[in-house]
Amino acid sequence: MRNDGRPIPTLEVSAAQQQIHLHTFFILQEVTATSRHYVDRLFDPDPQNVLQGVIDMKNAVIGNNKQKANLIVLGAVPRLLYLLQQSSSSLELRTECAVVLGSLAMGTENNIKSLVDCHIIPALLQGLLCSDLIFIEACLRCLRTVFISPVTPVQLLYTDPTVIPHLMSLLSRSRHTKEYITQIFAHCCKTPEHQTVLFNHSAIQNIAPLLISPSDKVRMQALKCFSVLAYENTQVSMTLVNVLVDGEQLSQVFVRMMQRDKPIEMQLTAAKCLTYMCRAGAIRTDDNCIILKTLPCLVRMCSKERLLEERVEGAETLAYLMEPDVELQRIASFTDHLVSMLADYFKYPSSVSAITDIKRLDHDLKHAHELRQAAFKLYASLGSNDEDIRKKITETENMMDRIVSGLSESSIKVRLAAVRCLHSLSRSVQQLRTSFHDHAVWKPLMKLLQNAPDEVLVMASSTLCNLLLEFSPSKEPILDSGVIELLCSLTQSDSPALRVNGIWALMNMAFQADQKVKVEIVRALGTEQLFRLLSDPDTNVLMKTLGLLRNLLSTRPHIDQIMSSHGKQIMQAVTLILEGEHSIEVKEQTLCILANIADGNTAKELIMTNDDMLQKIKYYMGHSNVKLQLAATFCISNLIWNEEDGSQERQDKLKDMGFVDILHKLTQASDPNLCDRAKTAMQQYLA
Amino acid sequence: MSGPSSGCGFLMSVVVHGDLALNEQEKDLNQRLRRLYPAVNEEETPLPRSWSPKDKFSYIGLSQNNLRVHYKGHGKTPKDAASVRATHPIPAACGVYYFEVKIISKGRDGYVKYMGIGLSAQGVNMNRLPGWDKHSYGYHGDDGHSFCSSGTGQPYGPTFTTGDVIGCCVNLINNTCFYTKNGHSLGIAFTDLPPNLYPTVGLQTPGEVVDANFGQHPFVFDIEDYMREWRTKIQAQIDRFPIGEREGEWQAMIQKMVASYLVHHSYCATAEVFAKSTDQAVHEELASIKNRQKIQKLVLSGRMGEAIETTQQLYPSLLELNPDLLFMLKVRQFIEMVNGTDSEVRCLGGRSPKSQDSYPGSPRLFNSPVHKASSSQTYQTGFDSNYCNGVSSSKGHTLAHSHKSCPRTMPSPELGVLNGSRGQQTNVGAEVEMEVDHFSNGVSESSSNGFLNGSSTHGIDLEECDGDMEVDSAQSKRQLCGGSQAAIERMIQFGRELQSMSEHLRRERGKNSANKKMLKDAFSLLAYSDPWISPVGYQLDSIRREPVCSTLNSAILETHNLPKQPPLALAVGQAAQCLSLMARTGSGSCAFASVDDYLH
């Protein structure tokens, strides 16, 4: 075919056709031979020949992945890097080497891996110290291509602390340095540490002017930098609001970038920047640039006209934006039919795509999970506060079925998002009573709880708490499904959130429950675990455990029964908490438990015979906090209640201990509740 | 294109009730409407500006310039419903139309707050709320439902009440409608809307009051942003118009158009270079092009006597066969005499004729006669059919390197105007070469470059020309015929000759009102002590030379069997016509496809 040794320009051979298979074989052989020739020329003693060799190599590899792979296998990379680093090499040769390396990097991920393994990054970074702009641009272009690949560890950018400041100093040298460096930053800023490093090296001041660059690419990359810098970063966000670009506030620059005639990627990224600034508290949620610009822009990103990737990002960003703000949720709920627009996210792959177009089916399948989880997230965010919106969501076509099947999907991301959505909707009393029960959502939820990673468990158990509320019709079937053991095991988790949810669910379950259920809870949990929870470092856990105790100790027969078997330990625990350093709320809850105990028939005696405890009650009746006074008075009131056996003796004993004087004083209290309570108690003596 | 010479049919200024003193609000309204709907020709299709006092049910009261609507019926049953339509239907040429209604009062307590905002066709019963009947569409405040020609609504948006601003947007490209509430889009409410709908509002509760905003105030919703999206969509559609396999044909055709345009206006050096680099033949002898160029330059510099003489020399039979044309040229000559620019009076006035032309420009790109002609004539479709006058294409080769010698052989203003599109006259040769590269690159680039050069040249022309005039007048203190008594006498004598020529013409060829008016206007100049500031002074403006120049050029070309209009100008005129036809037939996308956008 060719024997002049000139490179074969391209080699795009489709192996699908058998006919040309043989042909291909010959070409391949020839390619390997010519490839070797290229590499050999890199070792020529005459520098001029080397240069020509590199230039020929450059022309040969453009757009030719196989040629690239061949050259890498034949060891061209170390030689090119050597030539690039040699100060004896001419600037032209060094530049051409960087260009060829950049071209090799444009190939497959394997190419990138090979290049990174050959330590291309430090070599190119070193090259940036050269003074020649053309050479610097060639190095940056190659670095950019390497760094934006998912196989390159971004940390390599931060290993040498002098690199970032040097890149900052190169930033404004030319249109290309601007584009490549911002693109590198945008891809390599993945953690709060990265954000801080870039921030500390004045990334904001250096990149902000690029937002009005005449080059579309530079503007786009600069914008991306701000979105990754501002993400969950208060320091960056707070700085951004005060930045002026050509006399204009940065937020206004972003607003202009969201105009509908701008490229979609630009609109979406600008909306992300404003979203992150808003969530960091740098922009108020009622600011026009959020309410009238960012929110509608993100809703548009969810529309059917957008690409699947854009719809996913749009929905996730919108969910994040409005999560904490009910007004934004309300506006979004009626903007552009968002709620029903999201229903379309569940229709991939569509039945049409499966038949007509394999490529499309593949594309749809790849994005189907992402779409579903994004939709669930957005529904969760939309419905987190407003009852009307929750109703609107559950009335969307097949919504509950979709959640139910989402709960058992293979993708963890979808399961998590589905349970988040369910949790958000479970805050609605009406939905708990109706759709939740109709669709038996508790079943997949229980299944999910059996075996799931912690983040799913937290959401699922939190949802379960709501399903176990007294008025929830799902409460009964859940009880029958052996949930108590499961919840008790959650209380032993290392995660405070799981412990809270476990004990919270038990507390809800114990509210006005049958004796049988209560006994079962106490048995399954075990007093030992109960007392461990009472000394839990997490206040929430402690509060819910006290709540559980209080619910267990309701109605007289239950109080007496539980106190007869566990009275000693409970009294000990109560003493411990009242003596410990705890918040008012905790002490109040504890005093309420004591008041419940005082309501029992036999349980009363556990207090009456415990002078130390009585002294504590007396102390809290004189406490400066009204809530504690009230709870303590309630307790005494129960002890001296007339209609019960032995009330006379108790009244006498407490009178001797000086309680009557205290009660008398409390009848003069300024708080009307406390005053009433004290008067009621005093009446017991008069009767 | 800008300037007074642009006569495109669809950029009309708005006529408002003959009252010159517009109040501020009306001025604002006109400005905003023109900005929002630049493609609407209000002489054909006026925009809605208020509610119509004639087209309403009796229970409706109007106030505040017919913008405020209040209900004055009983409001007991649906039979008491009442609506009002705007003064005019929504023109399709809006592309996207928008109005807003603010709820001032939701009406008296104890009633269900029936209130509908929407659209209806002419003739739909006004004793109803919008949406209930055929060709009627509404969004109702009490339940937030949308009513699409039906008594039963569909769940659509939130409810609305006092203080809310409800907007209604009609997209005339895809015939849909969406509403907004307090600046937030609520999504599509109706599809497949019929044409010619009127903004409509309906009330049914005593005490209900609403205010309309048809553009009197800035809108709460950012409608311009929505329009931007559609403009981009339409323009992308045009840019990506599929030409399939015929790409080569397109490129060749566009190159021919550009080449013929250059030849038509006698940009001979550029035409040569362009033809060479695009591998085309020039269908006219270079000498002929140069001749026309010479004549044009004389006309444009006001030296009419010389222009007529030269024409008679070079094209002996032309003016004989076209006495009307000759008459027109002579009238212009008379005007130039008054101006003091015609060579005959210049000599007499003691001012030596300038060695260089006083008029720095050259033929304008698309001046008004081109447009007017194109709208009233049958179009010449194939511009290469009767095009070639037998000059062999090898001619182009013999002059292959002519552009390099251009600056020497050609008058410099010519090239400066052509290439120095931004007033940069440096390195002319390099510029030509660079652009030639562009031309050979691709279809779209070559055409846009061509336009760019032409149109910005135009702008510079105007400025330079104005400047020149002022300098001239300052020098001569704008005296009649340059201030020379001999010149005045010559002018008067010439006037008499003109008068007798006119009479002769009338005898020979019958009455010609155009000629009569032309002459009358020209003679009127003498009735004023300072003709330049007189009501007929516009004739003295050098811009007025252009139509004359263009007519003469066309006549010369016609005698050579060349098209009297350059195909490029024809195509532009045709496109403009096509757009106004689209406006008339209800295709809203014409709003976002202005020909001007492609000429800049």
Side-chain angles (χ1 to χ4, degrees), chain A residues 556 598-599 604 634-648 650-651 654 677 680-681 683-684:
Chain A
R556 216 161 276 158
D599 191 37
K604 275 190 180 66
F634 197 46
C635 186
I636 287 302
S637 166
N638 279 346
L639 289 175
I640 58 178
W641 205 256
N642 261 328
E643 295 148 34
E644 289 155 24
D645 287 347
S647 60
Q648 194 55 53
R650 287 194 292 278
Q651 282 182 2
L654 292 173
R677 178 53 60 191
T680 317
Q683 276 167 8
Q684 302 303 316

PDB file of all heavy atoms in Angstrom, chain A residues 556 598-599 604 634-648 650-651 654 677 680-681 683-684:
ATOM      1  N   ARG A 556     -53.295   3.550  85.405  1.00  0.00           N
ATOM      2  CA  ARG A 556     -52.897   3.040  86.721  1.00  0.00           C
ATOM      3  C   ARG A 556     -52.449   1.574  86.739  1.00  0.00           C
ATOM      4  O   ARG A 556     -51.363   1.281  87.258  1.00  0.00           O
ATOM      5  CB  ARG A 556     -54.050   3.256  87.702  1.00  0.00           C
ATOM      6  CG  ARG A 556     -53.579   3.592  89.065  1.00  0.00           C
ATOM      7  CD  ARG A 556     -54.685   4.233  89.855  1.00  0.00           C
ATOM      8  NE  ARG A 556     -54.778   5.665  89.591  1.00  0.00           N
ATOM      9  CZ  ARG A 556     -55.897   6.368  89.818  1.00  0.00           C
ATOM     10  NH1 ARG A 556     -56.998   5.755  90.228  1.00  0.00           N
ATOM     11  NH2 ARG A 556     -55.894   7.649  89.610  1.00  0.00           N
ATOM     12  N   ALA A 598     -46.565   8.507  90.696  1.00  0.00           N
ATOM     13  CA  ALA A 598     -47.372   8.911  91.855  1.00  0.00           C
ATOM     14  C   ALA A 598     -48.845   8.654  91.643  1.00  0.00           C
ATOM     15  O   ALA A 598     -49.644   8.669  92.575  1.00  0.00           O
ATOM     16  CB  ALA A 598     -47.137  10.397  92.138  1.00  0.00           C
ATOM     17  N   ASP A 599     -49.212   8.390  90.389  1.00  0.00           N
ATOM     18  CA  ASP A 599     -50.606   8.150  90.072  1.00  0.00           C
ATOM     19  C   ASP A 599     -50.970   6.677  90.259  1.00  0.00           C
ATOM     20  O   ASP A 599     -52.145   6.317  90.306  1.00  0.00           O
ATOM     21  CB  ASP A 599     -50.875   8.602  88.624  1.00  0.00           C
ATOM     22  CG  ASP A 599     -52.349   8.621  88.306  1.00  0.00           C
ATOM     23  OD1 ASP A 599     -53.142   8.991  89.210  1.00  0.00           O
ATOM     24  OD2 ASP A 599     -52.715   8.247  87.176  1.00  0.00           O
ATOM     25  N   LYS A 604     -47.169   4.399  94.119  1.00  0.00           N
ATOM     26  CA  LYS A 604     -47.027   5.586  94.971  1.00  0.00           C
ATOM     27  C   LYS A 604     -46.043   5.378  96.105  1.00  0.00           C
ATOM     28  O   LYS A 604     -45.245   6.253  96.446  1.00  0.00           O
ATOM     29  CB  LYS A 604     -48.381   5.912  95.627  1.00  0.00           C
ATOM     30  CG  LYS A 604     -49.300   6.725  94.803  1.00  0.00           C
ATOM     31  CD  LYS A 604     -50.465   7.147  95.691  1.00  0.00           C
ATOM     32  CE  LYS A 604     -51.474   8.000  94.931  1.00  0.00           C
ATOM     33  NZ  LYS A 604     -52.163   7.270  93.868  1.00  0.00           N
ATOM     34  N   PHE A 634     -47.551  18.766  90.383  1.00  0.00           N
ATOM     35  CA  PHE A 634     -48.428  17.729  89.842  1.00  0.00           C
ATOM     36  C   PHE A 634     -48.179  16.398  90.551  1.00  0.00           C
ATOM     37  O   PHE A 634     -49.112  15.672  90.911  1.00  0.00           O
ATOM     38  CB  PHE A 634     -48.138  17.603  88.338  1.00  0.00           C
ATOM     39  CG  PHE A 634     -49.204  16.899  87.578  1.00  0.00           C
ATOM     40  CD1 PHE A 634     -50.549  17.196  87.766  1.00  0.00           C
ATOM     41  CD2 PHE A 634     -48.878  15.926  86.640  1.00  0.00           C
ATOM     42  CE1 PHE A 634     -51.528  16.542  87.040  1.00  0.00           C
ATOM     43  CE2 PHE A 634     -49.855  15.257  85.927  1.00  0.00           C
ATOM     44  CZ  PHE A 634     -51.200  15.576  86.133  1.00  0.00           C
ATOM     45  N   CYS A 635     -46.921  16.129  90.751  1.00  0.00           N
ATOM     46  CA  CYS A 635     -46.517  14.892  91.419  1.00  0.00           C
ATOM     47  C   CYS A 635     -47.084  14.836  92.840  1.00  0.00           C
ATOM     48  O   CYS A 635     -47.697  13.852  93.252  1.00  0.00           O
ATOM     49  CB  CYS A 635     -44.990  14.851  91.442  1.00  0.00           C
ATOM     50  SG  CYS A 635     -44.338  13.320  92.068  1.00  0.00           S
ATOM     51  N   ILE A 636     -46.933  15.903  93.583  1.00  0.00           N
ATOM     52  CA  ILE A 636     -47.451  15.966  94.955  1.00  0.00           C
ATOM     53  C   ILE A 636     -48.969  15.835  94.968  1.00  0.00           C
ATOM     54  O   ILE A 636     -49.557  15.103  95.764  1.00  0.00           O
ATOM     55  CB  ILE A 636     -47.020  17.304  95.608  1.00  0.00           C
ATOM     56  CG1 ILE A 636     -45.520  17.259  95.932  1.00  0.00           C
ATOM     57  CG2 ILE A 636     -47.829  17.601  96.871  1.00  0.00           C
ATOM     58  CD1 ILE A 636     -45.114  16.115  96.842  1.00  0.00           C
ATOM     59  N   SER A 637     -49.569  16.535  94.027  1.00  0.00           N
ATOM     60  CA  SER A 637     -51.019  16.499  93.916  1.00  0.00           C
ATOM     61  C   SER A 637     -51.518  15.065  93.770  1.00  0.00           C
ATOM     62  O   SER A 637     -52.520  14.675  94.381  1.00  0.00           O
ATOM     63  CB  SER A 637     -51.428  17.375  92.732  1.00  0.00           C
ATOM     64  OG  SER A 637     -52.749  17.143  92.378  1.00  0.00           O
ATOM     65  N   ASN A 638     -50.798  14.281  92.947  1.00  0.00           N
ATOM     66  CA  ASN A 638     -51.167  12.874  92.769  1.00  0.00           C
ATOM     67  C   ASN A 638     -51.017  12.081  94.067  1.00  0.00           C
ATOM     68  O   ASN A 638     -51.818  11.197  94.361  1.00  0.00           O
ATOM     69  CB  ASN A 638     -50.319  12.224  91.682  1.00  0.00           C
ATOM     70  CG  ASN A 638     -50.850  12.551  90.283  1.00  0.00           C
ATOM     71  OD1 ASN A 638     -51.985  13.032  90.144  1.00  0.00           O
ATOM     72  ND2 ASN A 638     -50.032  12.303  89.285  1.00  0.00           N
ATOM     73  N   LEU A 639     -49.974  12.411  94.805  1.00  0.00           N
ATOM     74  CA  LEU A 639     -49.708  11.648  96.034  1.00  0.00           C
ATOM     75  C   LEU A 639     -50.778  11.895  97.096  1.00  0.00           C
ATOM     76  O   LEU A 639     -51.137  11.003  97.869  1.00  0.00           O
ATOM     77  CB  LEU A 639     -48.329  12.015  96.595  1.00  0.00           C
ATOM     78  CG  LEU A 639     -47.125  11.498  95.793  1.00  0.00           C
ATOM     79  CD1 LEU A 639     -45.829  12.039  96.380  1.00  0.00           C
ATOM     80  CD2 LEU A 639     -47.104   9.971  95.772  1.00  0.00           C
ATOM     81  N   ILE A 640     -51.323  13.103  97.134  1.00  0.00           N
ATOM     82  CA  ILE A 640     -52.254  13.433  98.220  1.00  0.00           C
ATOM     83  C   ILE A 640     -53.698  13.335  97.778  1.00  0.00           C
ATOM     84  O   ILE A 640     -54.602  13.792  98.457  1.00  0.00           O
ATOM     85  CB  ILE A 640     -51.987  14.866  98.759  1.00  0.00           C
ATOM     86  CG1 ILE A 640     -52.129  15.895  97.621  1.00  0.00           C
ATOM     87  CG2 ILE A 640     -50.622  14.939  99.427  1.00  0.00           C
ATOM     88  CD1 ILE A 640     -51.930  17.334  98.107  1.00  0.00           C
ATOM     89  N   TRP A 641     -53.913  12.756  96.609  1.00  0.00           N
ATOM     90  CA  TRP A 641     -55.274  12.709  96.062  1.00  0.00           C
ATOM     91  C   TRP A 641     -56.195  11.955  97.005  1.00  0.00           C
ATOM     92  O   TRP A 641     -55.906  10.854  97.425  1.00  0.00           O
ATOM     93  CB  TRP A 641     -55.263  12.073  94.666  1.00  0.00           C
ATOM     94  CG  TRP A 641     -56.437  12.525  93.845  1.00  0.00           C
ATOM     95  CD1 TRP A 641     -57.534  11.782  93.581  1.00  0.00           C
ATOM     96  CD2 TRP A 641     -56.617  13.791  93.248  1.00  0.00           C
ATOM     97  NE1 TRP A 641     -58.405  12.504  92.842  1.00  0.00           N
ATOM     98  CE2 TRP A 641     -57.876  13.773  92.604  1.00  0.00           C
ATOM     99  CE3 TRP A 641     -55.874  14.984  93.197  1.00  0.00           C
ATOM    100  CZ2 TRP A 641     -58.392  14.873  91.920  1.00  0.00           C
ATOM    101  CZ3 TRP A 641     -56.394  16.047  92.504  1.00  0.00           C
ATOM    102  CH2 TRP A 641     -57.628  16.004  91.872  1.00  0.00           C
ATOM    103  N   ASN A 642     -57.334  12.535  97.344  1.00  0.00           N
ATOM    104  CA  ASN A 642     -58.246  12.095  98.378  1.00  0.00           C
ATOM    105  C   ASN A 642     -58.859  10.722  98.206  1.00  0.00           C
ATOM    106  O   ASN A 642     -58.905   9.937  99.152  1.00  0.00           O
ATOM    107  CB  ASN A 642     -59.407  13.090  98.452  1.00  0.00           C
ATOM    108  CG  ASN A 642     -59.182  14.068  99.594  1.00  0.00           C
ATOM    109  OD1 ASN A 642     -58.575  13.676 100.597  1.00  0.00           O
ATOM    110  ND2 ASN A 642     -59.652  15.276  99.439  1.00  0.00           N
ATOM    111  N   GLU A 643     -59.306  10.473  96.966  1.00  0.00           N
ATOM    112  CA  GLU A 643     -60.173   9.318  96.784  1.00  0.00           C
ATOM    113  C   GLU A 643     -59.454   7.993  96.918  1.00  0.00           C
ATOM    114  O   GLU A 643     -60.049   6.941  96.777  1.00  0.00           O
ATOM    115  CB  GLU A 643     -60.834   9.399  95.397  1.00  0.00           C
ATOM    116  CG  GLU A 643     -61.763  10.592  95.269  1.00  0.00           C
ATOM    117  CD  GLU A 643     -61.811  11.137  93.853  1.00  0.00           C
ATOM    118  OE1 GLU A 643     -61.705  10.338  92.906  1.00  0.00           O
ATOM    119  OE2 GLU A 643     -61.924  12.369  93.695  1.00  0.00           O
ATOM    120  N   GLU A 644     -58.156   8.024  97.117  1.00  0.00           N
ATOM    121  CA  GLU A 644     -57.425   6.760  97.101  1.00  0.00           C
ATOM    122  C   GLU A 644     -57.069   6.293  98.507  1.00  0.00           C
ATOM    123  O   GLU A 644     -56.999   7.085  99.448  1.00  0.00           O
ATOM    124  CB  GLU A 644     -56.145   6.925  96.252  1.00  0.00           C
ATOM    125  CG  GLU A 644     -56.498   7.037  94.779  1.00  0.00           C
ATOM    126  CD  GLU A 644     -55.435   7.771  93.992  1.00  0.00           C
ATOM    127  OE1 GLU A 644     -54.277   7.786  94.438  1.00  0.00           O
ATOM    128  OE2 GLU A 644     -55.782   8.341  92.936  1.00  0.00           O
ATOM    129  N   ASP A 645     -56.812   4.990  98.535  1.00  0.00           N
ATOM    130  CA  ASP A 645     -56.458   4.378  99.831  1.00  0.00           C
ATOM    131  C   ASP A 645     -55.209   5.025 100.415  1.00  0.00           C
ATOM    132  O   ASP A 645     -54.252   5.298  99.713  1.00  0.00           O
ATOM    133  CB  ASP A 645     -56.162   2.874  99.639  1.00  0.00           C
ATOM    134  CG  ASP A 645     -57.472   2.119  99.400  1.00  0.00           C
ATOM    135  OD1 ASP A 645     -58.552   2.710  99.637  1.00  0.00           O
ATOM    136  OD2 ASP A 645     -57.392   0.957  98.949  1.00  0.00           O
ATOM    137  N   GLY A 646     -55.299   5.252 101.690  1.00  0.00           N
ATOM    138  CA  GLY A 646     -54.115   5.746 102.396  1.00  0.00           C
ATOM    139  C   GLY A 646     -53.782   7.176 102.114  1.00  0.00           C
ATOM    140  O   GLY A 646     -52.684   7.634 102.421  1.00  0.00           O
ATOM    141  N   SER A 647     -54.735   7.895 101.552  1.00  0.00           N
ATOM    142  CA  SER A 647     -54.422   9.279 101.217  1.00  0.00           C
ATOM    143  C   SER A 647     -54.179  10.110 102.456  1.00  0.00           C
ATOM    144  O   SER A 647     -53.351  11.013 102.464  1.00  0.00           O
ATOM    145  CB  SER A 647     -55.549   9.877 100.369  1.00  0.00           C
ATOM    146  OG  SER A 647     -56.767   9.849 101.095  1.00  0.00           O
ATOM    147  N   GLN A 648     -54.887   9.754 103.540  1.00  0.00           N
ATOM    148  CA  GLN A 648     -54.756  10.512 104.778  1.00  0.00           C
ATOM    149  C   GLN A 648     -53.326  10.480 105.309  1.00  0.00           C
ATOM    150  O   GLN A 648     -52.738  11.507 105.641  1.00  0.00           O
ATOM    151  CB  GLN A 648     -55.729   9.960 105.825  1.00  0.00           C
ATOM    152  CG  GLN A 648     -55.902  10.893 107.004  1.00  0.00           C
ATOM    153  CD  GLN A 648     -56.342  12.312 106.568  1.00  0.00           C
ATOM    154  OE1 GLN A 648     -57.322  12.483 105.837  1.00  0.00           O
ATOM    155  NE2 GLN A 648     -55.611  13.335 106.987  1.00  0.00           N
ATOM    156  N   ARG A 650     -50.651   9.806 103.719  1.00  0.00           N
ATOM    157  CA  ARG A 650     -49.696  10.495 102.840  1.00  0.00           C
ATOM    158  C   ARG A 650     -49.803  11.998 103.043  1.00  0.00           C
ATOM    159  O   ARG A 650     -48.799  12.690 103.140  1.00  0.00           O
ATOM    160  CB  ARG A 650     -49.985  10.139 101.377  1.00  0.00           C
ATOM    161  CG  ARG A 650     -49.578   8.720 101.018  1.00  0.00           C
ATOM    162  CD  ARG A 650     -49.558   8.509  99.527  1.00  0.00           C
ATOM    163  NE  ARG A 650     -50.876   8.539  98.904  1.00  0.00           N
ATOM    164  CZ  ARG A 650     -51.706   7.478  98.881  1.00  0.00           C
ATOM    165  NH1 ARG A 650     -51.339   6.335  99.436  1.00  0.00           N
ATOM    166  NH2 ARG A 650     -52.883   7.588  98.316  1.00  0.00           N
ATOM    167  N   GLN A 651     -51.075  12.444 103.164  1.00  0.00           N
ATOM    168  CA  GLN A 651     -51.261  13.888 103.374  1.00  0.00           C
ATOM    169  C   GLN A 651     -50.554  14.335 104.646  1.00  0.00           C
ATOM    170  O   GLN A 651     -49.859  15.355 104.660  1.00  0.00           O
ATOM    171  CB  GLN A 651     -52.748  14.213 103.485  1.00  0.00           C
ATOM    172  CG  GLN A 651     -53.436  14.241 102.133  1.00  0.00           C
ATOM    173  CD  GLN A 651     -54.919  14.615 102.240  1.00  0.00           C
ATOM    174  OE1 GLN A 651     -55.418  14.894 103.346  1.00  0.00           O
ATOM    175  NE2 GLN A 651     -55.595  14.604 101.102  1.00  0.00           N
ATOM    176  N   LEU A 654     -46.746  14.327 104.256  1.00  0.00           N
ATOM    177  CA  LEU A 654     -46.232  15.414 103.428  1.00  0.00           C
ATOM    178  C   LEU A 654     -46.418  16.756 104.123  1.00  0.00           C
ATOM    179  O   LEU A 654     -45.597  17.658 103.980  1.00  0.00           O
ATOM    180  CB  LEU A 654     -46.937  15.398 102.062  1.00  0.00           C
ATOM    181  CG  LEU A 654     -46.571  14.176 101.199  1.00  0.00           C
ATOM    182  CD1 LEU A 654     -47.419  14.123  99.944  1.00  0.00           C
ATOM    183  CD2 LEU A 654     -45.085  14.174 100.847  1.00  0.00           C
ATOM    184  N   ARG A 677     -52.979  24.703  89.884  1.00  0.00           N
ATOM    185  CA  ARG A 677     -52.523  23.373  90.299  1.00  0.00           C
ATOM    186  C   ARG A 677     -52.335  23.320  91.823  1.00  0.00           C
ATOM    187  O   ARG A 677     -52.768  22.378  92.491  1.00  0.00           O
ATOM    188  CB  ARG A 677     -51.218  23.041  89.559  1.00  0.00           C
ATOM    189  CG  ARG A 677     -50.561  21.728  89.894  1.00  0.00           C
ATOM    190  CD  ARG A 677     -51.466  20.523  89.776  1.00  0.00           C
ATOM    191  NE  ARG A 677     -52.012  20.324  88.454  1.00  0.00           N
ATOM    192  CZ  ARG A 677     -52.985  19.460  88.179  1.00  0.00           C
ATOM    193  NH1 ARG A 677     -53.528  18.717  89.151  1.00  0.00           N
ATOM    194  NH2 ARG A 677     -53.456  19.323  86.958  1.00  0.00           N
ATOM    195  N   THR A 680     -55.739  23.326  93.578  1.00  0.00           N
ATOM    196  CA  THR A 680     -56.373  22.005  93.498  1.00  0.00           C
ATOM    197  C   THR A 680     -55.774  21.070  94.542  1.00  0.00           C
ATOM    198  O   THR A 680     -56.491  20.321  95.222  1.00  0.00           O
ATOM    199  CB  THR A 680     -56.176  21.389  92.094  1.00  0.00           C
ATOM    200  OG1 THR A 680     -56.388  22.395  91.124  1.00  0.00           O
ATOM    201  CG2 THR A 680     -57.115  20.241  91.862  1.00  0.00           C
ATOM    202  N   ALA A 681     -54.466  21.124  94.662  1.00  0.00           N
ATOM    203  CA  ALA A 681     -53.798  20.260  95.641  1.00  0.00           C
ATOM    204  C   ALA A 681     -54.208  20.622  97.065  1.00  0.00           C
ATOM    205  O   ALA A 681     -54.511  19.747  97.886  1.00  0.00           O
ATOM    206  CB  ALA A 681     -52.288  20.374  95.462  1.00  0.00           C
ATOM    207  N   GLN A 683     -56.927  21.808  98.050  1.00  0.00           N
ATOM    208  CA  GLN A 683     -58.312  21.383  98.301  1.00  0.00           C
ATOM    209  C   GLN A 683     -58.366  19.965  98.850  1.00  0.00           C
ATOM    210  O   GLN A 683     -59.290  19.612  99.572  1.00  0.00           O
ATOM    211  CB  GLN A 683     -59.132  21.483  97.018  1.00  0.00           C
ATOM    212  CG  GLN A 683     -59.655  22.902  96.797  1.00  0.00           C
ATOM    213  CD  GLN A 683     -60.188  23.087  95.388  1.00  0.00           C
ATOM    214  OE1 GLN A 683     -60.296  22.131  94.631  1.00  0.00           O
ATOM    215  NE2 GLN A 683     -60.499  24.328  95.058  1.00  0.00           N
ATOM    216  N   GLN A 684     -57.377  19.143  98.437  1.00  0.00           N
ATOM    217  CA  GLN A 684     -57.342  17.763  98.914  1.00  0.00           C
ATOM    218  C   GLN A 684     -57.240  17.744 100.442  1.00  0.00           C
ATOM    219  O   GLN A 684     -57.785  16.881 101.098  1.00  0.00           O
ATOM    220  CB  GLN A 684     -56.161  16.993  98.302  1.00  0.00           C
ATOM    221  CG  GLN A 684     -56.173  16.968  96.780  1.00  0.00           C
ATOM    222  CD  GLN A 684     -57.451  16.370  96.209  1.00  0.00           C
ATOM    223  OE1 GLN A 684     -57.953  15.344  96.679  1.00  0.00           O
ATOM    224  NE2 GLN A 684     -58.016  17.036  95.208  1.00  0.00           N
TER     225      GLN A 684
END
